[in-house]
Amino acid sequence: MKPCEIKKGIYWVGVVDWNIRNFHGHTYTTKRGTTYNAYLIVDEKIALIDTVLGSFAGEMIERIKEIVSVEKIDYIVANHVETDHSGAMPELMKLCPKAKVIGSAKCKEGLYRYYYGNWDFQIVKTGDKINLGKRTLTFIEAPMIHWPDSMFTYCQEEQLLMPNDAFGQHYATSERFADEADQCALWDEAAKYYGNILWPLSGVILKKIEEIQKMGLPINMIAPSHGLIWRNDPLKIVNAYASWAKNEVKDKVVIVYETMWGATEKMARKIEEGIIEAGLLEVKLFDVASSDRTEIIKEMLDAKGFIIGSSTHDNDMLTNIAGFLEFIKGLKPKNRRAAAFGSHGWAGGAVKSIENVLKETGIEVILPGLTVQYMPDEKQTKECFDFGKRFTELLKS
Ligand code: FEO
């Protein structure tokens, strides 16, 4: 794949990782792969914005060589220390040892702790600039979007924002621009990225969006470090981030359960029917043990209601659903309503445990939990249906 000129004299020199299927140590499934985007700005001075995963260093370097000699790079801007963006630096620095590395103070610390390189490093803060000739780069610190070292780089003359992980998607494509790609897959991946990585940082993200709006920076292109580049109304993704960060939700319910011998699953399916009967069309149902957690979380991102079920085992919920709820707790969802259900043999416990975790997570439990001993009979099956209906009525009220 050739370098892609995204603006005159500015090139995508990243890498498409078609086959990666797990990210962040298996906490995130990447069924559509990902990209590591690096951008080369050729001016009187030459700047490279971010690099790629270490195993792809050679490919990125070859791509740069198609445009300039690598030793001519004057600046390497490290917006983020995480190795999917900095991993190629040791190999790159061997070829351009005099290049100045630019990043936040935390980035300097982090890069040293990862690579122990003795590189010429310039620490920058929000508002600091470097002049490349015709263009200027302005830096905006963005701590906890999503690491303490994170930073955005903005080029005023090109109205180009390079915000590293923010506004990205794990989506490997031959296209480079968002408007060229499959829109369903694009937005699916953008939501999945927000839900699984950025959701707990929503407060910081909202403040950063407001800060950038106050800075009055015109933006006609957003070039993130994963996935496709936003041009033609790049603010669409900013507005989507603002909505997700405000925890704006719709009349949608996600049911997630784990079942031992099928009774809790039977309950889940009847509850779902009751929800639809009450007039809610968007309901998603997942058996947590056989579903992709990354996908479930994407569905929960804009859902007003969560219904969580588990069979009882050792007076508690089953282990997969317990792990799932722990993950949800870490995502700190706001403005959600929930209920719990499940079957048990001789003694219950799962439903109470689920309700406790939901409350600890700050989720309002709006209906007393529904329990059934062994398999639901006809009357109890009807109760499950009514439970779904009642939950929906309360959700809509
Ligand atoms: Fe894409 Fe935080 O690394």
Side-chain angles (χ1 to χ4, degrees):
M1 193 176 288
K2 288 201 159 298
C4 173
E5 191 168 25
I6 64 165
K7 281 182 175 270
K8 193 153 178 54
I10 303 182
Y11 301 85
W12 173 89
V13 289
V15 163
V16 181
D17 191 348
W18 294 96
N19 290 310
I20 187 168
R21 291 291 176 264
N22 286 289
F23 209 82
H24 278 162
H26 291 250
T27 63
Y28 191 121
T29 57
T30 44
K31 69 176 183 187
R32 293 189 176 101
T34 193
T35 76
Y36 314 107
N37 299 336
Y39 301 100
L40 187 76
I41 305 180
V42 181
D43 205 314
E44 288 161 33
K45 299 277 186 189
I46 296 175
L48 179 68
I49 317 300
D50 291 314
T51 71
V52 300
L53 191 70
S55 52
F56 289 105
E59 189 175 324
M60 180 196 72
I61 288 166
E62 286 308 308
R63 208 154 271 137
I64 294 170
K65 279 183 188 169
E66 290 192 40
I67 307 160
V68 294
S69 302
V70 178
E71 64 270 19
K72 288 191 176 165
I73 294 174
D74 298 286
Y75 299 109
I76 298 168
V77 177
N79 276 321
H80 180 26
V81 75
E82 200 167 5
T83 55
D84 51 330
H85 307 294
S86 68
M89 287 193 64
E91 202 165 326
L92 182 69
M93 293 307 290
K94 283 183 207 157
L95 302 176
C96 50
K98 290 190 183 152
K100 194 180 280 274
V101 181
I102 312 269
S104 64
K106 289 278 182 199
C107 179
K108 181 180 180 185
E109 219 177 285
L111 283 181
Y112 185 73
R113 298 297 301 179
Y114 268 129
Y115 308 112
Y116 299 95
N118 193 18
W119 305 328
D120 181 13
F121 197 103
Q122 181 180 335
I123 293 174
V124 288
K125 298 194 181 73
T126 295
D128 288 352
K129 295 175 195 292
I130 56 167
N131 187 271
L132 300 180
K134 294 188 195 74
R135 303 176 185 85
T136 311
L137 297 181
T138 305
F139 305 103
I140 302 160
E141 290 168 283
M144 298 321 293
I145 307 177
H146 66 125
W147 277 24
D149 56 276
S150 298
M151 184 175 89
F152 298 174
T153 297
Y154 174 71
C155 179
Q156 176 95 34
E157 295 79 3
E158 305 288 351
Q159 302 189 8
L160 169 65
L161 182 68
M162 290 164 283
N164 194 264
D165 278 326
F167 310 120
Q169 330 92 47
H170 285 312
Y171 187 17
T173 55
S174 52
E175 300 94 349
R176 295 278 62 82
F177 293 100
D179 51 283
E180 299 169 329
D182 175 328
Q183 296 301 294
C184 284
L186 170 74
W187 285 97
D188 188 69
E189 292 302 335
K192 203 186 296 177
Y193 194 96
Y194 190 93
N196 283 273
I197 297 181
L198 300 173
W199 196 353
L201 309 166
S202 289
V204 183
I205 288 166
L206 265 185
K207 277 192 192 141
K208 189 54 61 181
I209 291 173
E210 282 163 19
E211 182 190 324
I212 290 176
Q213 282 165 343
K214 275 187 196 148
M215 288 166 92
L217 308 176
I219 295 169
N220 67 22
M221 187 181 283
I222 296 177
S225 289
H226 294 293
L228 293 139
I229 298 166
W230 306 91
R231 62 177 179 188
N232 304 346
D233 195 13
L235 294 186
K236 215 167 155 187
I237 184 65
V238 179
N239 293 337
Y241 265 49
S243 171
W244 292 325
K246 285 177 195 159
N247 275 271
E248 288 177 352
V249 287
K250 55 183 176 179
D251 286 343
K252 171 179 173 184
V253 176
V254 177
I255 305 171
V256 189
Y257 66 91
E258 185 170 9
T259 194
M260 192 186 289
W261 292 112
T264 299
E265 179 168 42
K266 196 170 175 192
M267 293 176 78
R269 295 179 71 85
K270 272 294 153 195
I271 291 168
E272 183 221 353
E273 285 178 23
I275 295 168
I276 294 167
E277 177 70 18
L280 206 71
L281 290 179
E282 197 166 1
V283 190
K284 304 279 179 180
L285 186 144
F286 296 97
D287 174 352
V288 75
S290 59
S291 301
D292 180 338
R293 188 184 64 203
T294 307
E295 295 287 335
I296 304 175
I297 287 164
K298 177 204 72 191
E299 293 297 342
M300 293 174 101
L301 179 62
D302 62 357
K304 192 190 281 184
F306 304 159
I307 302 185
I308 311 294
S310 176
S311 317
T312 290
H313 183 267
D314 289 342
N315 302 110
D316 211 331
M317 65 183 112
L318 293 171
T319 53
N320 285 297
I321 198 79
F324 177 80
L325 287 180
E326 272 309 299
F327 200 88
I328 293 295
K329 198 199 284 186
L331 295 176
K332 303 184 176 70
K334 307 248 179 328
N335 191 28
R336 316 287 157 148
R337 297 178 192 177
F341 69 97
S343 100
H344 62 272
W346 52 100
V351 168
K352 194 45 69 193
S353 291
I354 292 169
E355 287 176 341
N356 288 342
V357 179
L358 290 169
K359 286 173 193 165
E360 281 166 27
T361 308
I363 297 173
E364 188 188 357
V365 176
I366 58 171
L367 200 58
L370 182 65
T371 59
V372 161
Q373 189 180 20
Y374 295 121
M375 199 60 76
D377 61 15
E378 199 176 323
K379 180 171 166 282
Q380 289 167 326
T381 301
K382 171 78 168 49
E383 281 169 12
C384 292
F385 183 82
D386 290 342
F387 183 83
K389 269 179 80 178
R390 182 70 189 132
F391 183 81
T392 308
E393 287 156 10
L394 290 170
L395 199 69
K396 287 167 133 186
S397 64

